[in-house]
Amino acid sequence: MEKCACKRPILDKLWELTVLNNRDYEAWEQRLEENQEPNPEKQKKESTWQKTVLLYLHDLVYLLPIAILVLALCFRIVMVSGTSMNSTLLDGDCLLLLSNTFYHDPQYGDIVVASKDSFDGGKSIIKRVIATEGQWVDIDFEAGVVFVSDDGMTTWRQLDEPYVNTPTNLKEGVQFPLYVEEGCLFVMGDNRNGSRDSRSPDIGLIDKREVMGKVIFLMIPGTNGTDGNGQPLEERDFGRIGVVD
């Protein structure tokens, strides 16, 4: 009798474990079935997200070529080569232009990019507009100052030019006073003694049709060239990034 009494707790324990294992298995099966059942709300969210992505991609395919076309028509990107516009612009500056597609009426003070066949095989030049059609230009090379007349040389006004790097002392061959013909511009670099511009017979007056656009923004600053060892002459100053005037 004592043997039966000793075995019963063991049997009861085994039975209890068997029942618990069966319950765990049933619970696991139930969870598995629940996971396999479709969840309409979840499927709806996934479907909505996928449709949104597809719509954005569809719109992007159509809008990207249009955006590229608009940018190509409205803007150009040019790189400054040389120091004729120091210190407003430096050699190596990357600039954004408003294209001549929309820029038709250059004004005094505008910085423009032009291409003239008579100079350096049509290579682009970057200069500042000093006088426009119908005006007269005169330069006192000894004093280094520029004068402009709007009324046929009856009266002259001296230009206030805070942007110049040096006084205008360099003669390049053009005789002054000079009349700016219709549809033309008189341009000079801000580095007056280190610039070939409308003072030179090789360039002379710029036809408006030769203007590629107006400089409006400095995107990436240059280093003003390199020395004999290939080292930058100036540190790249990212504080210069911004609107150009």
Side-chain angles (χ1 to χ4, degrees):
M1 296 295 294
E2 288 180 0
K3 289 182 180 180
C4 291
C6 292
K7 290 180 179 180
R8 182 168 296 278
I10 295 174
L11 292 174
D12 290 345
K13 189 65 175 179
L14 289 172
W15 174 255
E16 182 180 349
L17 290 172
T18 302
V19 171
L20 288 174
N21 287 335
N22 287 337
R23 287 177 181 174
D24 290 341
Y25 179 75
E26 290 174 358
W28 177 80
E29 277 191 327
Q30 184 176 355
R31 287 197 301 271
L32 183 62
E33 291 175 358
E34 289 176 354
N35 289 335
Q36 291 176 346
E37 289 179 0
N39 188 334
E41 189 66 27
K42 183 178 179 182
Q43 288 181 345
K44 183 178 179 181
K45 288 182 180 179
E46 290 179 352
S47 177
T48 302
W49 178 82
Q50 291 171 352
K51 286 180 178 179
T52 301
V53 172
L54 288 175
L55 284 173
Y56 276 121
L57 290 175
H58 177 272
D59 293 342
L60 185 62
V61 168
Y62 284 95
L63 291 176
L64 190 58
I66 296 174
I68 293 173
L69 180 62
V70 170
L71 288 174
L73 290 174
C74 296
F75 303 102
R76 298 186 185 191
I77 296 176
V78 298
M79 191 79 71
V80 177
S81 177
T83 59
S84 70
M85 282 298 294
N86 279 183
S87 53
T88 305
L89 301 174
L90 304 182
D91 186 16
D93 282 350
C94 182
L95 308 173
L96 181 68
L97 304 186
L98 176 61
S99 173
N100 56 5
T101 305
F102 296 96
Y103 177 67
H104 305 292
D105 190 24
Q107 300 294 317
Y108 164 72
D110 289 353
I111 298 176
V112 298
V113 177
S115 175
K116 197 170 182 69
D117 292 336
S118 62
F119 178 71
D120 203 9
K123 183 179 178 180
S124 299
I125 56 174
I126 304 177
K127 308 295 177 183
R128 188 183 296 272
V129 176
I130 301 302
T132 58
E133 58 185 5
Q135 294 181 318
W136 286 81
V137 182
D138 199 6
I139 301 176
D140 183 341
F141 289 103
E142 291 186 4
V145 295
V146 181
F147 298 90
V148 171
S149 174
D150 300 306
D151 56 8
M153 297 192 295
T154 302
T155 57
W156 294 89
R157 55 186 172 86
Q158 179 180 333
L159 297 183
D160 178 23
E161 300 186 289
Y163 42 77
V164 296
N165 192 38
T166 57
T168 313
N169 304 121
L170 180 65
K171 295 181 181 181
E172 298 188 28
V174 168
Q175 298 299 311
F176 293 92
L178 176 69
Y179 178 69
V180 183
E181 299 173 1
E182 183 179 355
C184 293
L185 306 168
F186 181 90
V187 300
M188 287 195 286
D190 289 353
N191 185 14
R192 292 293 164 81
N193 295 330
S195 169
R196 292 186 69 187
D197 43 48
S198 291
R199 292 169 291 174
S200 168
D202 292 338
I203 298 178
L205 297 176
I206 299 292
D207 192 305
K208 286 183 179 181
R209 292 170 295 184
E210 296 171 325
V211 175
M212 299 166 58
K214 173 187 176 182
V215 176
I216 58 175
F217 198 85
L218 194 158
M219 302 171 62
I220 304 174
T223 59
N224 221 24
T226 56
D227 59 20
N229 297 319
Q231 297 301 312
L233 293 177
E234 296 187 23
E235 292 293 329
R236 205 179 296 274
D237 181 8
F238 289 97
R240 296 177 55 238
I241 295 175
V243 176
V244 176
D245 53 19

